[in-house]
Amino acid sequence: MEKFYLGVACFLLATMIVGLVRVFVGPDQEDRLVAVQLFGTTGVAILLLLAEAFDASSVRNAALLFTLLAVLAVVAFVRSPGSLGEREE
Amino acid sequence: MNLTLLFDVFLIAALLLVSWRLLGASDLFQATVLFISFGLFLSLAWIRLQAPDIALAEAAVGAGLAGVLLLGTFKGLEPEEDREGENLSSEACRLDPISPCPGRAHLLLAFTFVGSMTALLLLAVLDLPAEGDGLTLLVFQSLDRSGVEHPVTAVLLNFRFYDTWLELGVLVAAALSILCVRNRLDLRELRPSKVPDVMLRRLVMGLTPIMILVVVYLLWLGDHAPGGAFQAGVVLAAMLILLWFSGHASITSLSRILWLFSLIAGFAMMLLAAVITASWPEMRPLEFAEEWSGAIILAIEVAATLSIGVVLSSLAILSLGAVED
Amino acid sequence: MEILSGTLCLLGAFFFMAGTVGLIRFPDSLSRIHALTKADNLGLGFIVLALVVTSQSLTVAFKLILIWLLALVASSSICFFLARKLIHRG
Amino acid sequence: MDLSMVMSTFFLYSLAAMLLVGMGIYGLLTRRHLLRKVMALNVIAGGVFLLLITTAYRNQEHFPDPVPQAMVLTGIVVAISATGFALALVRRIHQRMKDAKTDPFGEKWDRS
């Protein structure tokens, strides 16, 4: 079963590498940010699988931190000055 | 096919790809965003290399704080006349237009230098002895005298106490120098540059209790499992920044005395421990009595968490706060 | 139990793949944001479920479900913020 | 754990670490935007941390060497606070240059 989890984790890592293309080509800032958020979730899934595969419970805490702090970067992006939508508001 | 090896290869490929594009891409926003995923891949690597303490810290720093700092600064630098353009060219937000552009000779020189340096590093690593325990055995032999059960915490707060102490000193110095850069005496009346909206306020209201719980949990974990003051402090900083962004009461509403007090709490606590142990008879400075060391370490950890959280959130708030002067 | 867990795991991986394909192939930003929520809610959900089924202790299961709920909250609010910003810009 | 496995992992990750350091230094030398230089410094830091942690991983009997791990832990917190300070400096420089553009003696900033 550990082998299986590790295999799924490898697969998810591969989808992340493919998804990097969206960050590279953009074109909008929002697109790139969305791609990174998707990586965040995929990363959490990988961490949970690795926690099972390596039998290390502290890895789950790292996953918890990732989900808890995922909002932070987007909030900084939306709340900071110089954003494009600001004028209409 | 060995699955662990496959995982390693994928992970390293992703790390190198991300850092190459991070440094090479012409769009600065792309680099900023890639930096966040660089942190994510690094923390996967820490898990793979059995360093869960560092993965925890990297998760909080890389996913949370670094993203906030870089994205916020990027937004602050974005040239105003170019806002209508979809892609910012690298020329548009250049900061040093007076220095000449790097020519081909410059690049060649840099490449030669970096290439030879990397080769030298490679030789140095290949020269490392193939086997050896490092300090693992020594740490595990003295672990039951340290007052905690987790070896990394024991190293941080007992065996290499000086390092951690001076590190908190570095944090205080960083906070004070950023005050000089921003030409301020404290954080009061620094506001986020946009008026917070209801959705964000509700979200942060919901998240804050969970974050407080996580801070306490990480702190409690510290003495027997991966976790501790550093990780808890970073989460505390993230929480304070979120509160600030959403317009709730945060460290900006602290009085100057209270803010300074929490800024130096960790450093002062360690200084106090040093002074007390130094003036105690028949004990050397910073040598804790075995029956007390657990309690001393806990007290220091609580103070250090407070200080790390306050310093890191002050750094972010000071560099992101609206510029009114 | 193991077969159930394996199937759920593969289902989760499938949704992550679908999310990535959507991220690459969809023509505009709003539909790409839509792809993100699929992967977040369903992909992570199935993987969490797979691990809950085989988990030994109640605490681990509880923590896994907490992570999933937090991810739901985070992803929906992220999508809300980004989509609102896109719409405001026109 | 199999010793040869550990060693091959060590070589793989230390090679990656050195490439990260090399790329970081190259970026630091050649890229001109200050924000990019800050990121390059962070890439270098990441490479150094990776090297330390692989060394710790190699030295394992039943637990990786905790001393490098503790060093990296302090390193990460110091690196993020240095980054915060550097970014505040970048912001300040930017502001000063923007102001300089508007003053009558500021034409020199607009060259190039």
Side-chain angles (χ1 to χ4, degrees):
Chain A
M1 208 58 192
E2 276 75 38
K3 276 249 150 64
F4 176 73
Y5 286 140
L6 201 57
V8 176
C10 281
F11 175 74
L12 291 183
L13 200 56
T15 66
M16 274 166 100
I17 295 175
V18 174
L20 275 176
V21 174
R22 183 48 74 192
V23 188
F24 295 160
V25 300
D28 277 1
Q29 296 186 341
E30 284 79 8
D31 290 323
R32 301 180 202 268
L33 209 56
V34 163
V36 170
Q37 292 307 322
L38 180 62
F39 292 168
T41 319
T42 319
V44 168
I46 293 178
L47 285 175
L48 293 178
L49 288 168
L50 287 186
E52 209 64 33
F54 294 158
D55 196 26
S57 63
S58 52
V59 179
R60 285 190 202 100
N61 293 336
L64 182 67
L65 284 193
F66 266 116
T67 43
L68 200 58
L69 302 182
V71 207
L72 211 57
V74 174
V75 169
F77 176 75
V78 183
R79 292 283 103 195
S80 294
S83 38
L84 293 153
E86 207 172 8
R87 283 176 206 164
E88 286 94 331
E89 280 171 31
Chain B
M1 188 64 205
N2 190 332
L3 275 175
T4 324
L5 192 66
L6 186 69
F7 188 80
D8 288 346
V9 170
F10 275 164
L11 190 55
I12 286 172
L15 262 178
L16 293 178
L17 190 65
V18 165
S19 58
W20 172 59
R21 290 294 296 181
L22 165 71
L23 296 166
S26 61
D27 179 20
L28 194 63
F29 184 77
Q30 180 181 343
T32 315
V33 166
L34 278 177
F35 191 79
I36 302 174
S37 30
F38 184 67
L40 174 66
F41 285 121
L42 264 187
S43 72
L44 285 180
W46 303 145
I47 294 290
R48 169 68 188 86
L49 296 172
Q50 295 180 18
D53 287 275
I54 301 169
L56 276 174
E58 185 78 50
V61 166
L65 280 180
V68 167
L69 279 170
L70 281 167
L71 275 176
T73 313
F74 173 82
K75 280 291 180 190
L77 299 184
E78 212 173 15
E80 284 164 40
E81 58 270 25
D82 270 31
R83 279 197 194 164
E84 298 309 321
E86 285 293 291
N87 277 318
L88 287 162
S89 70
S90 58
E91 301 292 307
C93 42
R94 214 160 66 176
L95 283 184
D96 47 352
I98 209 163
S99 63
C101 281
R104 199 167 287 163
H106 179 142
L107 291 181
L108 193 70
L109 200 66
F111 189 78
T112 325
F113 172 69
V114 169
S116 48
M117 194 139 158
T118 314
L120 272 177
L121 273 173
L122 189 67
L123 284 180
V125 169
L126 287 178
D127 204 39
L128 283 175
E131 287 174 40
D133 281 334
L135 296 165
T136 318
L137 270 179
L138 201 63
V139 169
F140 275 88
Q141 275 162 10
S142 357
L143 192 59
D144 44 341
R145 288 195 289 128
S146 70
V148 288
E149 289 162 36
H150 184 53
V152 177
T153 311
V155 170
L156 275 175
L157 287 164
N158 203 331
F159 306 148
R160 308 249 345 136
F161 186 85
Y162 277 112
D163 283 356
T164 316
W165 185 14
L166 293 180
E167 189 244 350
L168 286 175
V170 169
L171 286 182
V172 174
L176 294 182
S177 34
I178 208 169
L179 280 181
C180 300
V181 171
R182 282 305 297 270
N183 205 1
R184 303 186 67 95
L185 287 173
D186 54 23
L187 294 172
R188 277 180 298 173
E189 279 133 40
L190 262 181
R191 297 190 201 299
S193 41
K194 285 167 101 179
V195 186
D197 61 276
V198 184
M199 175 74 187
L200 184 64
R201 288 180 71 95
R202 294 257 168 82
L203 175 69
V204 175
M205 277 296 264
L207 282 182
T208 305
I210 307 177
M211 284 192 167
I212 293 177
L213 210 62
V214 169
V215 169
V216 176
Y217 175 62
L218 283 175
L219 198 59
W220 169 78
L221 272 182
D223 78 339
H224 55 92
F230 287 84
Q231 294 88 344
V234 179
V235 178
L236 182 66
M239 185 188 90
L240 289 171
I241 295 169
L242 264 184
L243 281 174
W244 176 74
F245 263 125
S246 60
H248 290 287
S250 180
I251 46 168
T252 43
S253 42
L254 285 182
S255 72
R256 185 182 300 161
I257 297 296
L258 223 56
W259 178 70
L260 277 176
F261 176 77
S262 42
L263 197 67
I264 59 167
F267 190 77
M269 198 67 147
M270 290 172 108
L271 187 65
L272 194 68
V275 168
I276 290 176
T277 48
S279 57
W280 211 262
E282 79 236 17
M283 230 196 298
R284 274 171 294 167
L286 293 180
E287 191 183 274
F288 303 147
E290 268 177 53
E291 62 271 28
W292 284 102
S293 60
I296 294 174
I297 286 177
L298 187 67
I300 289 173
E301 281 214 276
V302 171
T305 305
L306 183 67
S307 280
I308 293 171
V310 168
V311 168
L312 291 179
S313 54
S314 306
L315 283 177
I317 290 173
L318 274 168
S319 59
L320 300 184
V323 189
E324 72 281 1
D325 44 347
Chain C
M1 244 6 180
E2 294 218 329
I3 295 167
L4 179 64
S5 161
T7 322
L8 286 172
C9 229
L10 288 179
L11 218 54
F14 170 75
F15 275 106
F16 271 112
M17 192 185 72
T20 310
V21 169
L23 191 71
I24 301 288
R25 299 279 307 186
F26 277 164
D28 63 290
S29 304
L30 280 176
S31 46
R32 287 197 278 261
I33 291 180
H34 166 84
L36 165 82
T37 46
K38 288 292 156 295
D40 267 352
N41 302 352
L42 288 169
L44 190 64
F46 276 120
I47 284 186
V48 162
L49 208 58
L51 296 175
V52 164
V53 167
T54 50
S55 70
Q56 276 86 31
S57 71
L58 210 61
T59 3
V60 170
F62 177 71
K63 196 185 271 178
L64 287 169
I65 289 172
L66 177 70
I67 288 173
W68 184 51
L69 289 179
L70 275 176
L72 279 185
V73 171
S75 81
S76 43
S77 41
I78 284 166
C79 290
F80 171 76
F81 288 134
L82 287 179
R84 187 179 58 182
K85 196 145 180 283
L86 275 170
I87 288 170
H88 269 296
R89 205 175 57 191
Chain D
M1 197 180 289
D2 188 12
L3 189 67
S4 68
M5 266 289 287
V6 171
M7 281 321 274
S8 73
T9 313
F10 168 66
F11 280 122
L12 216 52
Y13 278 95
S14 56
L15 187 68
M18 277 169 299
L19 285 176
L20 283 183
V21 173
M23 277 199 280
I25 297 175
Y26 186 69
L28 186 66
L29 289 176
T30 57
R31 299 313 300 247
R32 308 184 58 223
H33 197 287
L34 291 180
L35 202 57
R36 191 88 68 154
K37 283 188 194 288
V38 174
M39 285 187 227
L41 277 176
N42 273 295
V43 171
I44 299 176
V48 173
F49 295 157
L50 194 57
L51 187 61
L52 277 171
I53 293 300
T54 40
T55 329
Y57 177 75
R58 185 197 53 154
N59 290 335
Q60 59 173 329
E61 283 289 307
H62 45 287
F63 190 90
D65 193 345
V67 178
Q69 293 201 359
M71 277 161 70
V72 172
L73 204 52
T74 37
I76 284 179
V77 179
V78 168
I80 186 73
S81 61
T83 306
F85 177 56
L87 289 177
L89 275 179
V90 171
R91 191 83 182 268
R92 180 83 178 165
I93 293 169
H94 177 77
Q95 205 190 342
R96 287 293 285 272
M97 284 176 62
K98 217 166 67 183
D99 294 348
K101 264 183 189 161
T102 58
D103 80 32
F105 303 104
E107 292 97 353
K108 60 176 181 185
W109 296 104
D110 285 331
R111 201 171 60 192
S112 87

